[in-house]
Amino acid sequence: MRKQRVLVTGGAGFLGSHLCDRLLKDGHDVICVDNYFTGAKQNVVHLLDNPYFELVRHDVITPFYAEVDQIFNLACPASPIHYQHNPIKTIKTSVMGAINMLGLAKRVGAKILQASTSEVYGDPNIHPQPESYWGNVNPNGIRSCYDEGKRCAETLFMDYHRQNNVKIKIIRIFNTYGPRMNPNDGRVVSNFIMQALRGENITIYGNGEQTRSFQYCDDLIEGMIRTMATDEDFIGPVNLGNPNEFTMLELAQKVIELTNSKSELVFEPLPQDDPKQRQPNIDLAKSKLDWEPKVQLEEGLKKTIEYFKDFV
Ligand code: NAD
Ligand code: UDP
């Protein structure tokens, strides 16, 4: 493929920075836009000498102008603690960020991909979740700023596509972990690893029987790149996640084992509206993208633990 000019919003975050790495490796010209709310310059500092990489401090709730061929829209805090810190800002980021990026895509004719989420399924009544499921989402709870913001962004993507022929792709990302997650961002994988490495108690919310399916970041980035490369008639939404499902108790045991930690489990209250189970149906990704995750939990955790050792 010829060199593409690619805009990555949220590019200094955990996933965005891995995406910037991959796009540069594939020979593209990358503009990374971020307001550093949950991301950090540290995640992309190794790219600053590359003449095909530009780092711009910018908040996506205001318009951004650049001539680009592709846009990956990732800007949005993803950890419940961070997205609930300023919920109005979170929903503005999802909704106004989508409007601004879709407006840009429309003006310059760029292809645009939305990083949507398994949270659009809420606390699902159908298990595992196929893309056709409309979800079970509380419209006014403490997670709604994120869930409903992302659902509204999907609506905006579809309407810009139907009304203005904007070339869109929507991916629904299931819990993804790996190096460059913010060690303090409160998500379960980073919490458990940091607690285990520090010998602190491992905080299990609720009884720990709730499940999640954990995907290693490299698998997700491959899926994102493949989705962007599909023909114009494939727009998604498409689930990208690892179907291997674990309880939080199983995850804690695995982390303790891999870190040789003496940490003990403590039980804390389950946050409001915490989904009981989550597992992607990835049939669509398999058939349309010829994609499935390759890195299983133990291998991915080992790499992530190595990264977090520097933060202890
Ligand atoms: P992250 O918090 O590390 O990255 C988000 C990035 O967006 C950060 O760099 C942050 O500073 C930036 N950002 C936030 N608000 C912004 C704004 N108003 N303007 C500009 N930049 C802004 O989280 P992540 O895990 O890398 O998530 C990236 C994207 O993937 C998010 O959209 C998230 O909703 C989505 N996602 C992630 C997961 C996951 O498990 N990691 C799951 C589902 C969806
Ligand atoms: N969780 C936990 N202990 C922690 C952090 C999270 O037991 O220290 C639980 C949380 O209640 C949820 C699951 O782990 O059931 C995943 O939480 P996370 O915030 O990583 O992601 P999400 O809920 O958005 O899937």
Side-chain angles (χ1 to χ4, degrees), residues 96-257:
M96 293 165 74
I99 291 171
N100 288 327
M101 289 306 136
L102 284 160
L104 174 64
K106 179 181 159 195
R107 186 173 66 81
V108 301
K111 238 197 288 189
I112 178 165
L113 177 145
Q114 168 66 359
S116 190
T117 167
S118 52
E119 286 286 319
V120 300
Y121 303 122
D123 190 4
N125 296 321
I126 289 184
H127 194 72
Q129 296 81 51
E131 290 83 354
S132 54
Y133 178 48
W134 290 355
N136 175 36
V137 178
N138 179 349
N140 53 30
I142 57 171
R143 291 175 88 101
S144 312
C145 60
Y146 183 73
D147 299 8
E148 296 289 20
K150 289 284 188 178
R151 285 167 69 95
C152 182
E154 285 201 16
T155 309
L156 285 161
F157 268 68
M158 291 305 297
D159 285 336
Y160 269 77
H161 174 67
R162 285 185 286 247
Q163 196 176 327
N164 298 120
N165 290 319
V166 173
K167 290 171 265 175
I168 64 156
K169 312 277 178 198
I170 299 172
I171 58 168
R172 292 185 179 150
I173 305 172
F174 284 64
N175 296 63
T176 306
Y177 68 98
R180 299 193 198 141
M181 284 184 97
N182 184 332
N184 303 313
D185 88 359
R187 282 185 273 188
V188 69
V189 174
S190 42
N191 270 10
F192 284 4
I193 295 178
M194 290 306 292
Q195 289 163 344
L197 289 174
R198 289 178 172 147
E200 295 167 0
N201 289 335
I202 306 254
T203 52
I204 307 273
Y205 300 162
N207 62 10
E209 296 292 344
Q210 71 272 35
T211 68
R212 295 292 186 273
S213 305
F214 296 103
Q215 163 173 241
Y216 189 65
C217 51
D218 292 0
D219 285 329
L220 171 70
I221 300 301
E222 182 62 35
M224 282 177 122
I225 297 284
R226 286 188 190 209
T227 306
M228 191 57 123
T230 50
D231 293 341
E232 244 178 67
D233 58 349
F234 181 70
I235 60 178
V238 59
N239 289 339
L240 294 178
N242 189 323
N244 286 339
E245 188 182 3
F246 297 87
T247 65
M248 294 313 102
L249 287 172
E250 288 169 332
L251 177 70
Q253 289 303 347
K254 188 60 75 204
V255 169
I256 288 174
E257 181 190 312

Side-chain angles (χ1 to χ4, degrees), residues 10-14 17 32 34-45 55 180 182 307:
F14 157 49
S17 62
C32 165
D34 207 294
N35 71 349
Y36 307 122
F37 173 45
T38 52
K41 277 189 192 161
Q42 187 59 36
N43 288 337
V44 288
V45 73
L55 180 58
R180 299 193 198 141
N182 184 332
Y307 173 80

